[in-house]
Amino acid sequence: MTRVFNFSAGPAALPEPVLRQAALEMLDWHGAGCGVMEMSHRGKEFTAIIEQAESDFRELLAIPANYRVLFLQGGATQQFAQIPMNLLDGRAADYLVTGTWSKKAFKEAEHLAGGLGGRVRLAGSTEADGFTRLLRANELDLDPQAAYVHLCTNETIHGVELGEAAYLPATSAPLVADMSSHILSRPVDVSRYGLIYAGAQKNIGPSGLVIVIVRDDLIGRANAVTPSVMDYKVMAENGSMLNTPPTYGIYIAGLVFQWLKAQGGLAAIEACNIKKANLLYEFIDASDFYENRVERGSRSRMNIPFLLRDETLNDPFLAGAKAAGLTQLKGHKLVGGMRASIYNAMSLDGVRALVDYMRDFAARHG
Amino acid sequence: MTRVFNFSAGPAALPEPVLRQAALEMLDWHGAGCGVMEMSHRGKEFTAIIEQAESDFRELLAIPANYRVLFLQGGATQQFAQIPMNLLDGRAADYLVTGTWSKKAFKEAEHLAGGLGGRVRLAGSTEADGFTRLLRANELDLDPQAAYVHLCTNETIHGVELGEAAYLPATSAPLVADMSSHILSRPVDVSRYGLIYAGAQKNIGPSGLVIVIVRDDLIGRANAVTPSVMDYKVMAENGSMLNTPPTYGIYIAGLVFQWLKAQGGLAAIEACNIKKANLLYEFIDASDFYENRVERGSRSRMNIPFLLRDETLNDPFLAGAKAAGLTQLKGHKLVGGMRASIYNAMSLDGVRALVDYMRDFAARHG
């Protein structure tokens, strides 16, 4: 068995110790005589697993007590619908569009708003600039009465990230943030948000699990056409178990949280993520063979799109990378070129191997 | 490692060869250099996995070409909402209630119907008889104009099963069936139904995956407030991949389908299921220590609830069973007593061990 360096944008590489433990426990979890996939979600074994997972997740992100953590299904895409169903409340909501994912969220809310008796507003967009930067404060058209302001804090496809140091929109409306592709990669001040959500398949675990962190006061406003499994209040009251939760995904997420704690938590993983991103960006910026077109203050540490200036070399670049054990580097079709997704589970060695390959490839073809 | 005989109602025991293969492939699937959990759902490896899974599933159930197979999230409980959202179409739908699960489906449809501009009707119920039997044809109050007729063909909690030999309601409206807890346990004539759905966590694989089999003409009627991920048409057009599907669950389901084919398919597994169920029912019926209160023609082969006539012995029974490696036998709190769920992955040896234990326990306490 040879493990590659897997730069997939998601589902994405998981920490090898997590996978080893999962393989070891597949037929018998802690002497239970069965694996986690085979356990009743109401039994004491799985109850211990989900409680530990929530507790570790809360600890890692320092989530205040007035926020509920929900383990749900349907991914971020289902949240695009679930959020207006729960929060629109007959009012208007503001959407900031900084890439494909926030645009999808906006489109889905727009699709549903009429039927829900509310409205959505495009409060700012960088689409005219090709989604290569964050919005600036003076470009925002915010409604002070908005039910909420939606934003995506890391755009997986365009490689734009809102760091904590960057501005957050100045509004008294609750901020609702899609953090799918950078959650747990850095500390975040949860108290600045009303609701945070994240599909698991980047920094958390397998696809099929989405985690929602929601402030107590935003629970209980769901529209009448909201399915019970999509009502935050119902799910909060039932400990995410109105229905059978995605138990195996929650177990894997729990192992990832344990692994993160063993790495030293989010401050330590952030330091490592900064090193990895700097190594790759500095190499690209110093090169006249590769380029990244995202504005410096807006660049993602997790998803780094880059172009070969001679695009006829794209196929040989990818073929050579694969032969060198560097996979999933093809950029999203909307952007073209290449993309290296370097989530928590990607090691500094993996990024070094990529930079070495890129340098070598440029020398051979430059 | 000692594996127990796990009688959990779901999530439930999986075939040991499936788990062994999953453990073996956890870090490296077929030389890909990464595990299935880490693969892009759009890559050629996962495409091969989902296509093989669908093809095997279609073959096992002999699904006609005019039905689509969708791999979705949210379990049967989300389907309780998704079905009226997609099919109610401003009309009325008929619900047959024969246990907790069909009652939940009815309640959820009732909760949403007004907002969807439709109506649901209780077209028959056995609740007054404690859900111990199927509905009889002369008890049904069917609306010939109904958008659909909903039924649950196996009630996991009450142990009531509608076999193919038993009647199906005589109606020209499409039948919509929750088959979660007996799908793949016996052949079924799919063409008699408009839509079949099944949560995976009994006979298919891990929780977090639900499979929907829907006839072409029922696709494309979704109400305007239907989230895109819940619109059968959108999901059919996108090959179940509008969003990232629960990839690992689909992979495990695919391994289960391969295992079923190796057992000889549904006719062979049905023969085994009949043997297992007969062994347990015949023992219970011959005993004056245990009893099953479900009418003979209505009994489930998959979920067999039974009572100890002396209920003060429940705790010693469960403790002794656990010590003998027979787990998850406690009945659902709505019914009390015991329940043995003997899905496809439960061997005849497991049922023999249970009957031996029950005989021994009765001899010691009778």
Side-chain angles (χ1 to χ4, degrees):
Chain A
M1 185 200 71
T2 312
R3 298 264 299 164
V4 296
F5 289 118
N6 171 9
F7 295 93
S8 174
L14 288 167
E16 200 170 307
V18 165
L19 296 173
R20 288 197 185 284
Q21 187 170 345
L24 209 65
E25 297 177 344
M26 181 66 79
L27 284 92
D28 184 13
W29 182 82
H30 296 203
C34 69
V36 174
M37 244 181 259
E38 307 174 286
M39 286 176 181
S40 167
H41 56 298
R42 311 262 182 213
K44 70 175 179 1
E45 293 89 353
F46 186 73
T47 302
I49 288 171
I50 194 171
E51 285 178 354
Q52 187 66 50
E54 177 173 341
S55 158
D56 288 337
F57 185 70
R58 283 185 171 276
E59 183 184 330
L60 284 163
L61 279 165
I63 299 175
N66 62 325
Y67 286 76
R68 307 298 294 260
V69 172
L70 306 177
F71 294 94
L72 306 178
Q73 298 183 48
T77 303
Q78 189 159 310
Q79 291 304 313
F80 296 167
Q82 196 159 341
I83 287 161
M85 282 178 150
N86 277 271
L87 304 183
L88 203 50
D89 201 14
R91 291 182 285 167
D94 283 348
Y95 277 72
L96 308 185
V97 172
T98 53
T100 297
W101 289 102
S102 49
K103 188 175 173 182
K104 280 179 192 267
F106 170 65
K107 289 288 175 195
E108 180 72 0
E110 205 176 32
H111 161 59
L112 295 172
L116 297 171
R119 249 169 0 103
V120 295
R121 297 172 65 250
L122 182 63
S125 169
T126 58
E127 188 160 14
D129 280 355
F131 295 134
T132 54
R133 60 175 181 84
L134 292 167
L135 280 158
R136 300 184 230 290
N138 64 9
E139 295 174 310
L140 302 186
D141 165 32
L142 294 170
D143 172 0
Q145 305 302 319
Y148 60 89
V149 178
H150 182 280
L151 68 164
C152 174
T153 50
N154 189 70
E155 292 282 358
T156 323
I157 292 175
H158 292 88
V160 169
E161 180 173 14
L162 182 74
E164 278 294 294
Y167 88 99
L168 277 175
T171 174
S172 56
L175 296 179
V176 171
D178 178 356
M179 295 195 182
S180 297
S181 51
H182 76 155
I183 196 160
L184 297 176
S185 71
R186 60 197 303 161
V188 59
D189 182 355
V190 172
S191 72
R192 298 177 75 177
Y193 299 86
L195 185 150
I196 292 168
Y197 64 105
Q201 66 270 22
K202 286 95 160 62
N203 267 332
I204 294 174
S207 59
L209 169 68
V210 56
I211 302 184
V212 172
I213 307 166
V214 55
R215 210 172 58 207
D216 282 339
D217 62 292
L218 296 177
I219 290 178
R221 309 178 176 186
N223 187 287
V225 294
T226 307
S228 302
V229 280
M230 292 171 72
D231 184 330
Y232 296 135
K233 179 163 190 278
V234 174
M235 284 308 248
E237 285 171 355
N238 285 278
S240 304
M241 290 208 210
L242 174 72
N243 60 344
T244 313
T247 53
Y248 199 73
I250 292 167
Y251 157 71
I252 296 288
L255 295 182
V256 170
F257 302 156
Q258 291 274 326
W259 174 82
L260 268 173
K261 285 173 69 178
Q263 307 304 303
L266 298 197
I269 207 82
E270 178 182 38
C272 181
N273 285 330
I274 291 172
K275 244 186 243 175
K276 283 151 51 185
N278 283 351
L279 178 62
L280 187 48
Y281 280 120
E282 283 166 16
F283 171 76
I284 291 170
D285 288 343
S287 150
D288 51 13
F289 192 87
Y290 304 100
E291 66 171 326
N292 169 287
R293 293 181 180 171
V294 179
E295 241 183 49
R296 302 235 169 168
S298 303
R299 285 173 166 180
S300 170
R301 290 176 188 159
M302 295 285 105
N303 309 98
I304 305 186
F306 61 91
L307 301 169
L308 277 63
R309 287 181 199 262
D310 177 358
E311 296 232 295
T312 66
L313 293 172
N314 281 356
D315 287 345
F317 179 89
L318 288 167
K322 194 170 178 194
L326 308 165
T327 68
Q328 301 291 328
L329 283 163
K330 191 171 180 177
H332 192 280
K333 62 183 180 224
L334 291 174
V335 175
M338 308 295 152
R339 173 176 51 175
S341 293
I342 53 174
Y343 299 120
N344 289 345
M346 174 57 64
S347 63
L348 185 57
D349 281 350
V351 180
R352 282 195 186 115
L354 173 61
V355 167
D356 287 347
Y357 169 73
M358 289 170 71
R359 183 182 294 116
D360 180 61
F361 186 86
R364 282 186 288 119
H365 296 86
Chain B
M1 184 200 71
T2 312
R3 298 263 300 165
V4 296
F5 289 119
N6 171 11
F7 295 92
S8 174
L14 288 167
E16 199 171 306
V18 165
L19 296 173
R20 289 198 184 281
Q21 186 170 345
L24 209 66
E25 297 177 343
M26 181 67 80
L27 284 92
D28 184 14
W29 182 83
H30 296 201
C34 69
V36 175
M37 243 182 262
E38 307 174 287
M39 286 175 182
S40 167
H41 55 298
R42 309 262 181 213
K44 72 174 176 4
E45 292 90 353
F46 187 73
T47 302
I49 289 171
I50 192 171
E51 285 178 355
Q52 186 67 49
E54 178 174 341
S55 158
D56 288 337
F57 185 70
R58 283 184 170 276
E59 183 184 331
L60 284 162
L61 280 165
I63 300 175
N66 62 325
Y67 286 75
R68 307 298 293 260
V69 172
L70 306 177
F71 295 94
L72 305 179
Q73 299 182 49
T77 303
Q78 189 159 312
Q79 291 304 312
F80 296 167
Q82 195 159 342
I83 286 162
M85 282 178 151
N86 278 271
L87 304 183
L88 204 49
D89 200 16
R91 292 180 285 166
D94 282 349
Y95 278 71
L96 308 185
V97 171
T98 53
T100 296
W101 289 103
S102 48
K103 187 173 174 183
K104 280 179 191 267
F106 171 64
K107 289 289 176 197
E108 181 71 3
E110 205 176 32
H111 161 60
L112 294 171
L116 297 172
R119 250 170 358 105
V120 293
R121 297 173 65 250
L122 183 63
S125 169
T126 58
E127 188 160 15
D129 280 354
F131 295 134
T132 54
R133 60 174 180 86
L134 292 167
L135 279 158
R136 299 185 232 289
N138 64 8
E139 295 174 311
L140 302 185
D141 165 32
L142 294 170
D143 172 0
Q145 305 303 320
Y148 60 90
V149 178
H150 182 279
L151 68 164
C152 174
T153 50
N154 189 70
E155 292 282 357
T156 322
I157 292 175
H158 292 88
V160 170
E161 179 173 14
L162 181 73
E164 278 294 295
Y167 88 100
L168 277 175
T171 174
S172 56
L175 295 178
V176 171
D178 178 356
M179 296 196 180
S180 295
S181 51
H182 76 156
I183 196 161
L184 298 176
S185 71
R186 60 196 301 161
V188 59
D189 182 355
V190 172
S191 71
R192 297 177 75 179
Y193 299 86
L195 186 150
I196 292 169
Y197 63 105
Q201 66 271 20
K202 286 96 161 59
N203 267 333
I204 294 174
S207 59
L209 170 66
V210 57
I211 301 186
V212 172
I213 306 167
V214 56
R215 209 172 58 208
D216 282 339
D217 61 292
L218 297 176
I219 290 178
R221 307 177 177 187
N223 187 288
V225 295
T226 308
S228 302
V229 281
M230 292 172 74
D231 184 331
Y232 296 134
K233 180 163 189 277
V234 174
M235 285 308 246
E237 286 171 352
N238 285 277
S240 305
M241 290 206 210
L242 175 73
N243 59 344
T244 312
T247 54
Y248 200 73
I250 292 168
Y251 156 73
I252 296 288
L255 296 182
V256 170
F257 302 155
Q258 291 274 327
W259 174 83
L260 268 173
K261 285 173 69 178
Q263 306 306 299
L266 298 197
I269 207 83
E270 178 182 39
C272 180
N273 285 329
I274 291 172
K275 246 186 243 174
K276 284 152 47 185
N278 284 351
L279 179 62
L280 187 48
Y281 280 120
E282 283 166 16
F283 171 75
I284 291 171
D285 288 342
S287 150
D288 53 11
F289 192 88
Y290 304 101
E291 66 171 326
N292 169 287
R293 293 181 179 170
V294 179
E295 240 183 49
R296 301 235 170 168
S298 303
R299 284 173 166 181
S300 170
R301 291 177 188 157
M302 295 286 103
N303 308 98
I304 305 186
F306 60 92
L307 300 169
L308 277 62
R309 287 179 199 265
D310 177 358
E311 297 232 294
T312 65
L313 293 173
N314 282 355
D315 286 346
F317 179 89
L318 287 166
K322 194 171 179 193
L326 308 164
T327 67
Q328 301 290 327
L329 283 162
K330 190 170 180 178
H332 192 279
K333 59 181 184 231
L334 291 174
V335 175
M338 308 297 151
R339 173 176 50 174
S341 293
I342 52 174
Y343 300 118
N344 289 346
M346 174 58 63
S347 63
L348 185 57
D349 281 350
V351 179
R352 283 196 185 113
L354 173 60
V355 168
D356 287 347
Y357 169 74
M358 289 170 71
R359 183 182 293 115
D360 180 62
F361 185 86
R364 283 185 287 121
H365 296 88

